Amino acid sequence: MEAGIAAEPTDTAPQSPQTDPDEAGPAEGLEAGADTTDSAIDSVAGDTTGLPEPPVQLRVPPGTRVRLTAEIDISTDEYDVGDPVIATVVQDVMDEAGETLIPRGTYFLGRVEASASSGGIGEPAILEVAFETLSAWNYERPIESVVVDAPMMLDPEAERARRSGSGRDALRSVPGIIAAGSVIVVQLREAVMVPPVDPLLADTAAAVDTVAAADTVPREQY
């Protein structure tokens, strides 16, 4: 009987070892112990392709003098303390390399700090202004500045009327005026950072008539 019984076939092919998922080794292509989360973050953070460059800023140094003019009369008769005033830059402010820092046409915004008409013949009027904001078409900057020169005069017609009158008809109060078109010189106390001037704006400003350059103006006008 034993000789007539055929031996059952035996599966001798090698079996793949069964592994425990918890004991599995590192994935192919990754080193053991590598922190894939940090690597992904670093790769994203380090890729700056396509990001815009930070805007360039130019420095207007302290002590810079800016020449302004008002388009209308600033008068003690019409302006009280705290009233806003606007003046326009009439000459490009440039650095030593010849690059424009503050172009013609830029506004300086400020307020009246003192306003008092002349109360009698020989008595001066008081009119003081201060500027606190530099305002261009595409930006504004707060500024610290001092007015170096703001030519103020008595209203000529009112002064003539006062001198020619008598008794009750005589004028006692004559306004002080910073006349439209007169040059106001402002000096910056602190540095101001501004963007470069748009070439298109520079071409437009070049056609605007301005006062004489600072180095050609007699010193006594300051």
Side-chain angles (χ1 to χ4, degrees):
M1 291 293 292
E2 294 179 2
I5 299 174
E8 295 182 0
T10 304
D11 186 1
T12 60
Q15 299 293 321
S16 299
Q18 298 295 321
T19 58
D20 187 339
D22 294 337
E23 297 177 356
E28 183 178 356
L30 296 179
E31 298 181 358
D35 188 343
T36 57
T37 301
D38 290 344
S39 298
I41 293 174
D42 292 342
S43 64
V44 172
D47 184 8
T48 58
T49 304
L51 294 179
E53 293 291 331
V56 176
Q57 296 285 299
L58 304 176
R59 182 176 183 269
V60 186
T64 298
R65 290 193 173 189
V66 186
R67 297 164 64 82
L68 315 171
T69 186
E71 295 183 359
I72 61 175
D73 291 347
I74 304 173
S75 169
T76 59
D77 196 33
E78 298 180 357
Y79 284 77
D80 296 322
V81 173
D83 285 348
V85 294
I86 301 175
T88 306
V89 176
V90 294
Q91 179 182 329
D92 290 341
V93 176
M94 307 179 76
D95 63 13
E96 295 180 354
E99 184 164 9
T100 300
L101 302 176
I102 304 175
R104 288 165 287 180
T106 302
Y107 293 117
F108 271 51
L109 313 180
R111 297 187 180 279
V112 174
E113 289 198 327
S115 176
S117 297
S118 167
I121 296 177
E123 180 181 329
I126 299 173
L127 181 55
E128 298 177 4
V129 296
F131 295 94
E132 55 200 23
T133 303
L134 185 157
S135 180
W137 73 274
N138 59 340
Y139 71 89
E140 284 193 346
R141 295 288 185 272
I143 59 172
E144 291 287 340
S145 69
V146 59
V147 174
V148 176
D149 183 48
M152 191 269 296
M153 63 180 182
L154 295 179
D155 183 314
E157 293 185 4
E159 178 66 358
R160 282 195 297 269
R162 179 170 64 179
R163 289 181 178 276
S164 62
S166 60
R168 294 182 178 180
D169 295 330
L171 293 175
R172 294 189 178 182
S173 178
V174 173
I177 297 176
I178 298 175
S182 60
V183 176
I184 303 170
V185 181
V186 173
Q187 181 171 301
L188 299 179
R189 287 179 170 175
E190 301 289 343
V192 182
M193 303 303 293
V194 299
V197 176
D198 188 323
L200 295 178
L201 294 180
D203 291 341
T204 301
V208 179
D209 292 334
T210 62
V211 297
D215 56 356
T216 65
V217 176
R219 187 66 182 175
E220 58 268 18
Q221 292 192 20
Y222 287 98

